[in-house]
Amino acid sequence: MRYEGILSQRVQDLKPSGIRKFFDLLQEMEDTISLGVGEPDFQTPWHIRDAGVYSLEKGFTRYTSNAGLIELRREISGYMRRHYDLSYDPNGQILVTVGGSEGLDLAFRALINPGDEVIIPVPSFVCYAPLVEMASGVPIFLEMKAENEFRVTPEELSALITPKTKALLLPFPSNPTGGIMERSDLEALAKVLEGTDIMVVSDEIYAELTYDGLHHVSMANIPGMYDRTIVINGLSKSHSMTGWRMGYACAPNPIIAQMTKLHQFGIMSAPTTSQYAAVEALRNGDEDVAKMREEYDGRRRFLVKGLRDLGLNCFEPKGAFYVFPCIRSTGLSSDDFCEQLLLSQHVAVISGSAFGPGGEGFVRCCYAASMHDLTEALARIGTFLESVKK
Ligand code: PMP
């Protein structure tokens, strides 16, 4: 049977993620050190796992309400207030989702009419553009620059706004660059958006991983922006809970109402066991988060220094768990650098070009890996750089 004429053209037109191909290659190799996968290397803290197990023992194995357990929404509300000084009503302004991923999907689908444009700063997480396209929107890429520490500038934003602009996606702290936007940066963007109806989808999944004494600021905190910002967050990165698939969206009632409808038809409710674990994580997990952040911070400093000592130009990331060194000095393309490093030294890093325009010339190194692995990876990268010079 020929499926090309049967399957959705829009789906067939989506380009597969550049990262997947690379991981397939990685699977076949032994003795590899991976700084590739963007996922915490810590286990979910025990008391959180226990809460999930305990909920099963108690027989909590049914659907929850569509928006999520009210107990969990209350914890999310408290967490948002405590950590980010944001106020969301557990009844109507919070939706529990299957990871931040579902939240992003719902946000785009709830906002976009066919042909609407969504401004997506790049290099960034590979999901945004495909999700916008599947919602029948048009991704408009805003290329962030290393010389701006991979922030979005008001000039860059204002140059891309058209009558069709529906939303701006804000991916901070950033995967893959580790860049952040501070309050003054966000205020400058808010000025550009003033007087328009442009919405903001703010992916704050790495908010807890902000370093150097800086505290994450949400776009929803900026005067005038609360009413038009959809905050996407979750526990995957902050609490080392990627496999539990726990995310949440916070926004004004009319937006959450539409997102909840989509969630109800497509998902029903987020996994019940995970929701009970998430209640415990948000209620009693602040210390775990702080400990993991401290550990990541040590690795961040170590890796940045190590890469710089090897002669790679490396902007100092202030968030997430990625370092994004420039590899242009090697004369290799990002793809070639990654492939040759993997084949010759068995170290996996991800090509910057996988993260959209603006990523070429850089590679993403994830430091959610042990100090032992980071040390060994640096030694091998050093050997590789020597071999490339010759
Ligand atoms: N946003 C960003 C920037 C990410 O890096 C990821 C995961 N890699 C997600 C969202 C999705 O996370 P999850 O669905 O696991 O919550």
mmCIF file of all heavy atoms in Angstrom, residues 125-168:
data_model
loop_
_atom_site.group_PDB
_atom_site.id
_atom_site.type_symbol
_atom_site.label_atom_id
_atom_site.label_comp_id
_atom_site.label_asym_id
_atom_site.label_seq_id
_atom_site.Cartn_x
_atom_site.Cartn_y
_atom_site.Cartn_z
ATOM 1 N N PHE A 125 14.797 24.893 21.577
ATOM 2 C CA PHE A 125 14.209 23.551 21.674
ATOM 3 C C PHE A 125 13.519 23.182 20.357
ATOM 4 O O PHE A 125 12.792 24.010 19.778
ATOM 5 C CB PHE A 125 13.201 23.610 22.832
ATOM 6 C CG PHE A 125 12.549 22.314 23.188
ATOM 7 C CD1 PHE A 125 13.249 21.123 23.200
ATOM 8 C CD2 PHE A 125 11.202 22.298 23.559
ATOM 9 C CE1 PHE A 125 12.630 19.939 23.563
ATOM 10 C CE2 PHE A 125 10.579 21.131 23.933
ATOM 11 C CZ PHE A 125 11.290 19.945 23.929
ATOM 12 N N VAL A 126 13.719 21.945 19.935
ATOM 13 C CA VAL A 126 13.284 21.542 18.596
ATOM 14 C C VAL A 126 11.762 21.450 18.406
ATOM 15 O O VAL A 126 11.290 21.358 17.283
ATOM 16 C CB VAL A 126 13.903 20.172 18.216
ATOM 17 C CG1 VAL A 126 15.410 20.291 18.068
ATOM 18 C CG2 VAL A 126 13.565 19.099 19.253
ATOM 19 N N CYS A 127 10.998 21.465 19.485
ATOM 20 C CA CYS A 127 9.553 21.236 19.362
ATOM 21 C C CYS A 127 8.740 22.433 18.877
ATOM 22 O O CYS A 127 7.651 22.248 18.337
ATOM 23 C CB CYS A 127 8.975 20.885 20.728
ATOM 24 S SG CYS A 127 9.135 19.177 21.097
ATOM 25 N N TYR A 128 9.223 23.635 19.141
ATOM 26 C CA TYR A 128 8.343 24.795 18.957
ATOM 27 C C TYR A 128 7.785 24.911 17.533
ATOM 28 O O TYR A 128 6.575 25.033 17.349
ATOM 29 C CB TYR A 128 9.060 26.091 19.333
ATOM 30 C CG TYR A 128 9.639 26.141 20.723
ATOM 31 C CD1 TYR A 128 10.954 26.548 20.935
ATOM 32 C CD2 TYR A 128 8.877 25.790 21.835
ATOM 33 C CE1 TYR A 128 11.498 26.607 22.213
ATOM 34 C CE2 TYR A 128 9.419 25.846 23.115
ATOM 35 C CZ TYR A 128 10.733 26.251 23.296
ATOM 36 O OH TYR A 128 11.265 26.304 24.551
ATOM 37 N N ALA A 129 8.683 24.924 16.549
ATOM 38 C CA ALA A 129 8.210 25.161 15.180
ATOM 39 C C ALA A 129 7.246 24.066 14.699
ATOM 40 O O ALA A 129 6.176 24.387 14.167
ATOM 41 C CB ALA A 129 9.401 25.314 14.236
ATOM 42 N N PRO A 130 7.567 22.770 14.900
ATOM 43 C CA PRO A 130 6.601 21.740 14.482
ATOM 44 C C PRO A 130 5.245 21.891 15.165
ATOM 45 O O PRO A 130 4.205 21.699 14.531
ATOM 46 C CB PRO A 130 7.263 20.423 14.890
ATOM 47 C CG PRO A 130 8.709 20.724 14.986
ATOM 48 C CD PRO A 130 8.831 22.165 15.367
ATOM 49 N N LEU A 131 5.256 22.243 16.444
ATOM 50 C CA LEU A 131 3.967 22.398 17.147
ATOM 51 C C LEU A 131 3.169 23.564 16.556
ATOM 52 O O LEU A 131 1.956 23.468 16.386
ATOM 53 C CB LEU A 131 4.180 22.620 18.654
ATOM 54 C CG LEU A 131 4.706 21.418 19.450
ATOM 55 C CD1 LEU A 131 4.872 21.785 20.923
ATOM 56 C CD2 LEU A 131 3.789 20.207 19.306
ATOM 57 N N VAL A 132 3.857 24.653 16.247
ATOM 58 C CA VAL A 132 3.178 25.802 15.630
ATOM 59 C C VAL A 132 2.610 25.393 14.275
ATOM 60 O O VAL A 132 1.465 25.694 13.937
ATOM 61 C CB VAL A 132 4.151 26.999 15.494
ATOM 62 C CG1 VAL A 132 3.595 28.065 14.556
ATOM 63 C CG2 VAL A 132 4.453 27.594 16.868
ATOM 64 N N GLU A 133 3.401 24.655 13.499
ATOM 65 C CA GLU A 133 2.931 24.228 12.173
ATOM 66 C C GLU A 133 1.725 23.309 12.281
ATOM 67 O O GLU A 133 0.769 23.423 11.518
ATOM 68 C CB GLU A 133 4.061 23.531 11.413
ATOM 69 C CG GLU A 133 5.066 24.526 10.865
ATOM 70 C CD GLU A 133 6.310 23.857 10.292
ATOM 71 O OE1 GLU A 133 6.320 22.625 10.103
ATOM 72 O OE2 GLU A 133 7.283 24.593 10.046
ATOM 73 N N MET A 134 1.755 22.403 13.251
ATOM 74 C CA MET A 134 0.624 21.479 13.414
ATOM 75 C C MET A 134 -0.631 22.209 13.877
ATOM 76 O O MET A 134 -1.740 21.721 13.705
ATOM 77 C CB MET A 134 0.978 20.356 14.396
ATOM 78 C CG MET A 134 1.922 19.320 13.833
ATOM 79 S SD MET A 134 1.450 18.702 12.192
ATOM 80 C CE MET A 134 -0.109 17.934 12.551
ATOM 81 N N ALA A 135 -0.439 23.383 14.455
ATOM 82 C CA ALA A 135 -1.593 24.183 14.862
ATOM 83 C C ALA A 135 -2.009 25.128 13.727
ATOM 84 O O ALA A 135 -2.780 26.056 13.953
ATOM 85 C CB ALA A 135 -1.248 24.980 16.119
ATOM 86 N N SER A 136 -1.455 24.900 12.535
ATOM 87 C CA SER A 136 -1.710 25.673 11.312
ATOM 88 C C SER A 136 -1.189 27.114 11.398
ATOM 89 O O SER A 136 -1.678 28.007 10.711
ATOM 90 C CB SER A 136 -3.170 25.619 10.874
ATOM 91 O OG SER A 136 -3.987 26.369 11.741
ATOM 92 N N GLY A 137 -0.183 27.305 12.206
ATOM 93 C CA GLY A 137 0.477 28.607 12.290
ATOM 94 C C GLY A 137 1.763 28.628 11.473
ATOM 95 O O GLY A 137 2.175 27.607 10.914
ATOM 96 N N VAL A 138 2.380 29.790 11.426
ATOM 97 C CA VAL A 138 3.616 29.955 10.658
ATOM 98 C C VAL A 138 4.737 30.382 11.615
ATOM 99 O O VAL A 138 4.660 31.462 12.207
ATOM 100 C CB VAL A 138 3.443 31.046 9.573
ATOM 101 C CG1 VAL A 138 4.714 31.190 8.739
ATOM 102 C CG2 VAL A 138 2.240 30.729 8.686
ATOM 103 N N PRO A 139 5.767 29.547 11.771
ATOM 104 C CA PRO A 139 6.880 29.950 12.641
ATOM 105 C C PRO A 139 7.721 31.022 11.968
ATOM 106 O O PRO A 139 8.053 30.909 10.796
ATOM 107 C CB PRO A 139 7.713 28.666 12.789
ATOM 108 C CG PRO A 139 6.995 27.585 12.065
ATOM 109 C CD PRO A 139 5.955 28.211 11.186
ATOM 110 N N ILE A 140 8.028 32.069 12.705
ATOM 111 C CA ILE A 140 8.915 33.129 12.207
ATOM 112 C C ILE A 140 10.136 33.126 13.128
ATOM 113 O O ILE A 140 10.005 33.376 14.329
ATOM 114 C CB ILE A 140 8.218 34.511 12.281
ATOM 115 C CG1 ILE A 140 6.898 34.506 11.496
ATOM 116 C CG2 ILE A 140 9.151 35.622 11.808
ATOM 117 C CD1 ILE A 140 7.027 34.397 9.994
ATOM 118 N N PHE A 141 11.289 32.824 12.575
ATOM 119 C CA PHE A 141 12.468 32.655 13.430
ATOM 120 C C PHE A 141 13.161 33.976 13.726
ATOM 121 O O PHE A 141 13.389 34.778 12.813
ATOM 122 C CB PHE A 141 13.456 31.680 12.784
ATOM 123 C CG PHE A 141 12.916 30.282 12.701
ATOM 124 C CD1 PHE A 141 12.757 29.646 11.480
ATOM 125 C CD2 PHE A 141 12.551 29.602 13.854
ATOM 126 C CE1 PHE A 141 12.247 28.362 11.411
ATOM 127 C CE2 PHE A 141 12.033 28.318 13.791
ATOM 128 C CZ PHE A 141 11.874 27.690 12.573
ATOM 129 N N LEU A 142 13.467 34.155 14.978
ATOM 130 C CA LEU A 142 14.245 35.323 15.406
ATOM 131 C C LEU A 142 15.606 34.780 15.833
ATOM 132 O O LEU A 142 15.693 34.009 16.793
ATOM 133 C CB LEU A 142 13.541 36.011 16.578
ATOM 134 C CG LEU A 142 14.148 37.281 17.156
ATOM 135 C CD1 LEU A 142 13.078 38.087 17.895
ATOM 136 C CD2 LEU A 142 15.345 37.055 18.057
ATOM 137 N N GLU A 143 16.634 35.159 15.096
ATOM 138 C CA GLU A 143 17.949 34.588 15.358
ATOM 139 C C GLU A 143 18.658 35.332 16.486
ATOM 140 O O GLU A 143 19.029 36.490 16.327
ATOM 141 C CB GLU A 143 18.772 34.679 14.072
ATOM 142 C CG GLU A 143 19.483 33.385 13.762
ATOM 143 C CD GLU A 143 20.208 33.463 12.431
ATOM 144 O OE1 GLU A 143 19.528 33.383 11.400
ATOM 145 O OE2 GLU A 143 21.447 33.621 12.456
ATOM 146 N N MET A 144 18.844 34.661 17.602
ATOM 147 C CA MET A 144 19.547 35.291 18.730
ATOM 148 C C MET A 144 21.051 35.215 18.461
ATOM 149 O O MET A 144 21.527 34.312 17.792
ATOM 150 C CB MET A 144 19.194 34.577 20.036
ATOM 151 C CG MET A 144 17.726 34.681 20.387
ATOM 152 S SD MET A 144 17.319 33.884 21.965
ATOM 153 C CE MET A 144 17.314 32.149 21.521
ATOM 154 N N LYS A 145 21.771 36.187 19.028
ATOM 155 C CA LYS A 145 23.196 36.280 18.710
ATOM 156 C C LYS A 145 24.058 35.998 19.941
ATOM 157 O O LYS A 145 23.729 36.449 21.043
ATOM 158 C CB LYS A 145 23.526 37.701 18.232
ATOM 159 C CG LYS A 145 22.673 38.202 17.078
ATOM 160 C CD LYS A 145 23.234 37.718 15.762
ATOM 161 C CE LYS A 145 22.467 38.184 14.552
ATOM 162 N NZ LYS A 145 21.022 38.243 14.652
ATOM 163 N N ALA A 146 25.176 35.333 19.695
ATOM 164 C CA ALA A 146 26.104 35.041 20.792
ATOM 165 C C ALA A 146 26.569 36.341 21.448
ATOM 166 O O ALA A 146 26.705 36.421 22.667
ATOM 167 C CB ALA A 146 27.295 34.249 20.276
ATOM 168 N N GLU A 147 26.783 37.405 20.627
ATOM 169 C CA GLU A 147 27.286 38.667 21.212
ATOM 170 C C GLU A 147 26.249 39.312 22.141
ATOM 171 O O GLU A 147 26.586 40.144 22.967
ATOM 172 C CB GLU A 147 27.779 39.647 20.147
ATOM 173 C CG GLU A 147 26.745 40.084 19.127
ATOM 174 C CD GLU A 147 26.822 39.255 17.848
ATOM 175 O OE1 GLU A 147 27.173 38.065 17.930
ATOM 176 O OE2 GLU A 147 26.525 39.807 16.769
ATOM 177 N N ASN A 148 24.979 38.909 22.028
ATOM 178 C CA ASN A 148 23.949 39.381 22.975
ATOM 179 C C ASN A 148 23.683 38.352 24.064
ATOM 180 O O ASN A 148 22.629 38.373 24.699
ATOM 181 C CB ASN A 148 22.638 39.662 22.244
ATOM 182 C CG ASN A 148 22.760 40.737 21.205
ATOM 183 O OD1 ASN A 148 23.567 41.650 21.361
ATOM 184 N ND2 ASN A 148 22.000 40.637 20.135
ATOM 185 N N GLU A 149 24.599 37.431 24.241
ATOM 186 C CA GLU A 149 24.417 36.321 25.192
ATOM 187 C C GLU A 149 23.137 35.559 24.890
ATOM 188 O O GLU A 149 22.446 35.097 25.787
ATOM 189 C CB GLU A 149 24.413 36.820 26.634
ATOM 190 C CG GLU A 149 25.718 37.511 27.003
ATOM 191 C CD GLU A 149 25.762 37.891 28.467
ATOM 192 O OE1 GLU A 149 24.737 38.380 28.982
ATOM 193 O OE2 GLU A 149 26.824 37.674 29.078
ATOM 194 N N PHE A 150 22.803 35.448 23.633
ATOM 195 C CA PHE A 150 21.620 34.711 23.172
ATOM 196 C C PHE A 150 20.341 35.195 23.852
ATOM 197 O O PHE A 150 19.490 34.408 24.227
ATOM 198 C CB PHE A 150 21.812 33.192 23.352
ATOM 199 C CG PHE A 150 22.877 32.622 22.465
ATOM 200 C CD1 PHE A 150 24.133 32.306 22.979
ATOM 201 C CD2 PHE A 150 22.644 32.419 21.120
ATOM 202 C CE1 PHE A 150 25.129 31.791 22.158
ATOM 203 C CE2 PHE A 150 23.634 31.895 20.286
ATOM 204 C CZ PHE A 150 24.877 31.582 20.812
ATOM 205 N N ARG A 151 20.235 36.512 24.012
ATOM 206 C CA ARG A 151 18.972 37.111 24.479
ATOM 207 C C ARG A 151 18.223 37.642 23.273
ATOM 208 O O ARG A 151 18.814 37.844 22.210
ATOM 209 C CB ARG A 151 19.245 38.279 25.430
ATOM 210 C CG ARG A 151 19.908 37.858 26.722
ATOM 211 C CD ARG A 151 20.433 39.057 27.488
ATOM 212 N NE ARG A 151 21.440 38.605 28.437
ATOM 213 C CZ ARG A 151 21.337 38.727 29.761
ATOM 214 N NH1 ARG A 151 20.320 39.329 30.304
ATOM 215 N NH2 ARG A 151 22.278 38.273 30.557
ATOM 216 N N VAL A 152 16.948 37.930 23.459
ATOM 217 C CA VAL A 152 16.164 38.591 22.411
ATOM 218 C C VAL A 152 16.238 40.083 22.668
ATOM 219 O O VAL A 152 15.969 40.530 23.790
ATOM 220 C CB VAL A 152 14.687 38.140 22.474
ATOM 221 C CG1 VAL A 152 13.853 38.909 21.446
ATOM 222 C CG2 VAL A 152 14.565 36.637 22.246
ATOM 223 N N THR A 153 16.589 40.862 21.652
ATOM 224 C CA THR A 153 16.632 42.317 21.851
ATOM 225 C C THR A 153 15.323 42.939 21.339
ATOM 226 O O THR A 153 14.671 42.374 20.453
ATOM 227 C CB THR A 153 17.811 42.958 21.096
ATOM 228 O OG1 THR A 153 17.556 42.871 19.686
ATOM 229 C CG2 THR A 153 19.133 42.282 21.419
ATOM 230 N N PRO A 154 14.944 44.099 21.873
ATOM 231 C CA PRO A 154 13.709 44.739 21.421
ATOM 232 C C PRO A 154 13.750 45.064 19.928
ATOM 233 O O PRO A 154 12.738 44.962 19.236
ATOM 234 C CB PRO A 154 13.624 46.022 22.258
ATOM 235 C CG PRO A 154 14.908 46.152 22.990
ATOM 236 C CD PRO A 154 15.585 44.826 22.985
ATOM 237 N N GLU A 155 14.929 45.414 19.422
ATOM 238 C CA GLU A 155 15.041 45.746 17.989
ATOM 239 C C GLU A 155 14.745 44.510 17.144
ATOM 240 O O GLU A 155 14.018 44.586 16.148
ATOM 241 C CB GLU A 155 16.458 46.258 17.652
ATOM 242 C CG GLU A 155 16.845 47.574 18.312
ATOM 243 C CD GLU A 155 17.223 47.411 19.792
ATOM 244 O OE1 GLU A 155 17.625 46.284 20.189
ATOM 245 O OE2 GLU A 155 17.100 48.393 20.553
ATOM 246 N N GLU A 156 15.325 43.376 17.559
ATOM 247 C CA GLU A 156 15.099 42.133 16.794
ATOM 248 C C GLU A 156 13.625 41.763 16.801
ATOM 249 O O GLU A 156 13.073 41.332 15.795
ATOM 250 C CB GLU A 156 15.920 40.983 17.414
ATOM 251 C CG GLU A 156 17.419 41.087 17.177
ATOM 252 C CD GLU A 156 18.226 40.172 18.101
ATOM 253 O OE1 GLU A 156 17.685 39.657 19.101
ATOM 254 O OE2 GLU A 156 19.422 39.985 17.831
ATOM 255 N N LEU A 157 12.983 41.947 17.961
ATOM 256 C CA LEU A 157 11.567 41.591 18.049
ATOM 257 C C LEU A 157 10.741 42.521 17.182
ATOM 258 O O LEU A 157 9.920 42.071 16.370
ATOM 259 C CB LEU A 157 11.104 41.671 19.519
ATOM 260 C CG LEU A 157 9.612 41.497 19.733
ATOM 261 C CD1 LEU A 157 9.141 40.127 19.246
ATOM 262 C CD2 LEU A 157 9.234 41.684 21.209
ATOM 263 N N SER A 158 10.973 43.798 17.322
ATOM 264 C CA SER A 158 10.105 44.737 16.618
ATOM 265 C C SER A 158 10.239 44.599 15.100
ATOM 266 O O SER A 158 9.270 44.783 14.365
ATOM 267 C CB SER A 158 10.324 46.136 17.172
ATOM 268 O OG SER A 158 10.948 46.932 16.333
ATOM 269 N N ALA A 159 11.419 44.172 14.624
ATOM 270 C CA ALA A 159 11.623 44.001 13.176
ATOM 271 C C ALA A 159 10.769 42.867 12.600
ATOM 272 O O ALA A 159 10.518 42.825 11.396
ATOM 273 C CB ALA A 159 13.096 43.727 12.893
ATOM 274 N N LEU A 160 10.326 41.948 13.443
ATOM 275 C CA LEU A 160 9.603 40.772 12.931
ATOM 276 C C LEU A 160 8.093 40.851 13.113
ATOM 277 O O LEU A 160 7.357 39.972 12.666
ATOM 278 C CB LEU A 160 10.133 39.497 13.608
ATOM 279 C CG LEU A 160 11.572 39.119 13.268
ATOM 280 C CD1 LEU A 160 11.968 37.832 13.991
ATOM 281 C CD2 LEU A 160 11.745 38.934 11.768
ATOM 282 N N ILE A 161 7.629 41.887 13.790
ATOM 283 C CA ILE A 161 6.188 41.979 14.037
ATOM 284 C C ILE A 161 5.447 42.420 12.777
ATOM 285 O O ILE A 161 5.849 43.366 12.104
ATOM 286 C CB ILE A 161 5.919 42.944 15.210
ATOM 287 C CG1 ILE A 161 6.430 42.302 16.511
ATOM 288 C CG2 ILE A 161 4.432 43.261 15.338
ATOM 289 C CD1 ILE A 161 6.307 43.181 17.731
ATOM 290 N N THR A 162 4.389 41.689 12.446
ATOM 291 C CA THR A 162 3.545 42.039 11.292
ATOM 292 C C THR A 162 2.088 42.012 11.783
ATOM 293 O O THR A 162 1.827 41.579 12.913
ATOM 294 C CB THR A 162 3.684 41.005 10.153
ATOM 295 O OG1 THR A 162 2.959 39.819 10.532
ATOM 296 C CG2 THR A 162 5.118 40.637 9.858
ATOM 297 N N PRO A 163 1.138 42.419 10.935
ATOM 298 C CA PRO A 163 -0.273 42.329 11.363
ATOM 299 C C PRO A 163 -0.691 40.889 11.650
ATOM 300 O O PRO A 163 -1.708 40.651 12.305
ATOM 301 C CB PRO A 163 -1.031 42.887 10.154
ATOM 302 C CG PRO A 163 -0.036 43.742 9.435
ATOM 303 C CD PRO A 163 1.297 43.111 9.646
ATOM 304 N N LYS A 164 0.086 39.919 11.176
ATOM 305 C CA LYS A 164 -0.285 38.509 11.391
ATOM 306 C C LYS A 164 0.334 37.912 12.651
ATOM 307 O O LYS A 164 0.106 36.738 12.975
ATOM 308 C CB LYS A 164 0.161 37.675 10.198
ATOM 309 C CG LYS A 164 -0.676 37.904 8.960
ATOM 310 C CD LYS A 164 -0.357 36.820 7.966
ATOM 311 C CE LYS A 164 -1.324 36.889 6.808
ATOM 312 N NZ LYS A 164 -0.823 36.147 5.675
ATOM 313 N N THR A 165 1.152 38.681 13.354
ATOM 314 C CA THR A 165 1.815 38.112 14.531
ATOM 315 C C THR A 165 0.796 37.817 15.619
ATOM 316 O O THR A 165 0.123 38.724 16.110
ATOM 317 C CB THR A 165 2.879 39.095 15.082
ATOM 318 O OG1 THR A 165 3.742 39.472 14.020
ATOM 319 C CG2 THR A 165 3.678 38.444 16.206
ATOM 320 N N LYS A 166 0.685 36.565 15.987
ATOM 321 C CA LYS A 166 -0.249 36.162 17.049
ATOM 322 C C LYS A 166 0.461 36.057 18.390
ATOM 323 O O LYS A 166 -0.075 36.431 19.428
ATOM 324 C CB LYS A 166 -0.893 34.826 16.675
ATOM 325 C CG LYS A 166 -1.726 34.133 17.749
ATOM 326 C CD LYS A 166 -2.822 34.995 18.353
ATOM 327 C CE LYS A 166 -3.936 35.384 17.432
ATOM 328 N NZ LYS A 166 -4.902 34.336 17.201
ATOM 329 N N ALA A 167 1.683 35.511 18.356
ATOM 330 C CA ALA A 167 2.335 35.252 19.636
ATOM 331 C C ALA A 167 3.850 35.294 19.518
ATOM 332 O O ALA A 167 4.411 35.128 18.434
ATOM 333 C CB ALA A 167 1.901 33.887 20.165
ATOM 334 N N LEU A 168 4.447 35.524 20.667
ATOM 335 C CA LEU A 168 5.900 35.431 20.815
ATOM 336 C C LEU A 168 6.171 34.279 21.774
ATOM 337 O O LEU A 168 5.572 34.212 22.853
ATOM 338 C CB LEU A 168 6.444 36.738 21.413
ATOM 339 C CG LEU A 168 7.866 36.684 21.976
ATOM 340 C CD1 LEU A 168 8.900 36.508 20.860
ATOM 341 C CD2 LEU A 168 8.182 37.970 22.764
#
